[in-house]
Amino acid sequence: MKKPINEMRLVMPSCSSNESFARVAVASFVAQLDPTIDEITDIKTAVSEAVTNCIVHAYKDSIGNIYIHSKIFEDGKVSVKIRDTGCGIGDVKQAMEPLFTTGGEERAGLGFAVMESFMDKLKVRSTEGRGTTVILEKYLIRRERNDN
Amino acid sequence: MTVRITTEGEEMKALLVGEIDHHSAREARERIDAQVEKTHPKLLILDFAEIGFMDSSGIGLIMGRHRLMNELGGTLRIENTSRTVSRMIKMAGLGRLSIETGGTKR
Ligand SMILES: Nc1ncnc2c1ncn2[C@@H]1O[C@H](COP(=O)(O)OP(=O)(O)OP(=O)(O)O)[C@@H](O)[C@H]1O
Ligand SMILES: [Mg+2]
């Protein structure tokens, strides 16, 4: 595995006001790779989904930490790891099915489907009672740079 | 996000301004539902023209308002959705619900 050219870590409590902070923070970090507006929108949306899941599901009736670790690579790859130590997911395969939700009437059950389609790769690891780690990866289109 | 509500006859329009996520959707939902329950419009229009960002919480917002309008015997219409919002609407299969769509931007 190649070494990242830069990386950043963030820890924040699972307050819903951090949803917008988290996606904007990751987007500003990734800006170093000169992404397109569409690429930034995709990344912001996927990060918002993963972070919201920590807040809404992992720490349902409590507040816990959300850990974000993002890396960027020379070849334009972006990875964002979002981890919680909340309730975990019993059946990850079922949870990832579009429209599956345990969140009640106001949730669409679309978060994982959005992460999957807006990013190039999605990995989910979870242990019930221990927590969940989501890894998002995207390859940004490398454009000709005009550095002069 | 802020919600600007205008009512004209039996039509109620909610212009959504800003970003829709789980945090901001709650207040918007409460404002819209309170007004719907007060005025019982035949048609509720959610206008996405001024939305700069939306995640799947926005789909939940649409589905919930569709359910509410259904219960009240009315219709929901969504207008001016961006490319990203339209993409999520498609993924959610909202086409199968009787939601009207009007004017798409970009
Ligand atoms: N971090 C997590 N911790 C515990 N459970 C989770 C976590 N993330 C997802 N889940 C479970 O997986 C289900 C599906 O998640 P997904 O994000 O696809 O949909 P949702 O959050 O229910 O709805 P939406 O994202 O559309 O608002 C959730 O309902 C929940 O049961
Ligand atoms: Mg979700």
Side-chain angles (χ1 to χ4, degrees):
Chain A
M1 261 270 275
K2 276 230 207 73
K3 264 184 68 174
I5 51 175
N6 202 353
E7 60 186 306
M8 71 95 170
R9 291 171 197 270
L10 281 172
V11 185
M12 66 195 79
S14 57
C15 322
S16 61
S17 53
N18 278 328
E19 289 160 12
S20 62
F21 169 70
R23 63 178 179 261
V24 170
V26 172
S28 343
F29 172 67
V30 170
Q32 296 170 29
L33 284 179
D34 195 20
T36 64
I37 292 181
D38 283 347
E39 286 168 339
I40 279 292
T41 300
D42 289 352
I43 292 169
K44 276 171 87 172
T45 311
V47 168
S48 197
E49 296 296 349
V51 168
T52 302
N53 280 351
C54 302
I55 294 166
V56 176
H57 305 297
Y59 304 117
K60 194 163 184 263
D61 301 306
S62 58
I63 293 284
N65 279 338
I66 302 171
Y67 302 85
I68 299 179
H69 183 189
S70 183
K71 295 184 240 179
I72 52 176
F73 297 83
E74 184 75 53
D75 61 356
K77 182 174 126 176
V78 175
S79 82
V80 189
K81 183 158 94 180
I82 294 152
R83 182 169 69 86
D84 66 67
T85 56
C87 68
I89 304 171
D91 186 341
V92 173
K93 196 163 165 267
Q94 180 189 45
M96 290 177 75
E97 272 166 27
L99 306 184
F100 175 85
T101 183
T102 58
E105 298 237 304
E106 286 295 323
R107 308 246 62 87
L110 217 61
F112 280 130
V114 165
M115 291 183 241
E116 204 152 28
S117 103
F118 284 37
M119 302 295 284
D120 291 321
K121 210 168 182 182
L122 165 66
K123 281 183 251 176
V124 183
R125 282 198 308 256
S126 192
T127 313
E128 254 187 310
R130 299 285 303 269
T132 303
T133 302
V134 168
I135 299 171
L136 305 164
E137 284 179 10
K138 194 175 185 71
Y139 289 87
L140 306 187
I141 294 157
R142 305 308 283 156
R143 289 169 295 166
E144 286 298 318
R145 281 190 194 223
N146 217 336
D147 284 332
N148 45 23
Chain B
M1 179 182 28
T2 54
V3 188
R4 297 205 193 111
I5 296 177
T6 46
T7 309
E8 228 189 279
E10 302 201 298
E11 260 183 49
M12 171 182 151
K13 185 172 196 151
L15 174 69
L16 310 170
V17 183
E19 309 203 327
I20 307 182
D21 58 20
H22 153 259
H23 178 76
S24 68
R26 175 209 291 252
E27 206 188 310
R29 177 178 76 224
E30 287 169 359
R31 281 213 49 210
I32 294 166
D33 288 7
Q35 191 65 21
V36 165
E37 271 150 24
K38 207 165 87 189
T39 60
H40 284 244
K42 279 244 159 61
L43 178 67
L44 168 65
I45 303 166
L46 296 181
D47 188 344
F48 288 82
E50 303 293 325
I51 287 300
F53 173 87
M54 181 180 116
D55 66 18
S56 65
S57 305
I59 299 297
L61 186 73
I62 296 172
M63 289 168 75
R65 283 347 94 215
H66 171 258
R67 201 178 303 119
L68 176 66
M69 289 308 289
N70 235 9
E71 279 166 21
L72 299 173
T75 316
L76 174 69
R77 185 197 295 165
I78 46 185
E79 284 184 356
N80 299 314
T81 50
S82 70
R83 209 155 48 81
T84 313
V85 173
S86 301
R87 190 169 157 195
M88 272 189 259
I89 287 172
K90 214 170 187 175
M91 285 172 63
L94 292 192
R96 75 197 141 79
L97 305 178
S98 51
I99 297 175
E100 292 180 17
T101 49
T104 38
K105 68 173 177 184
R106 267 182 288 163

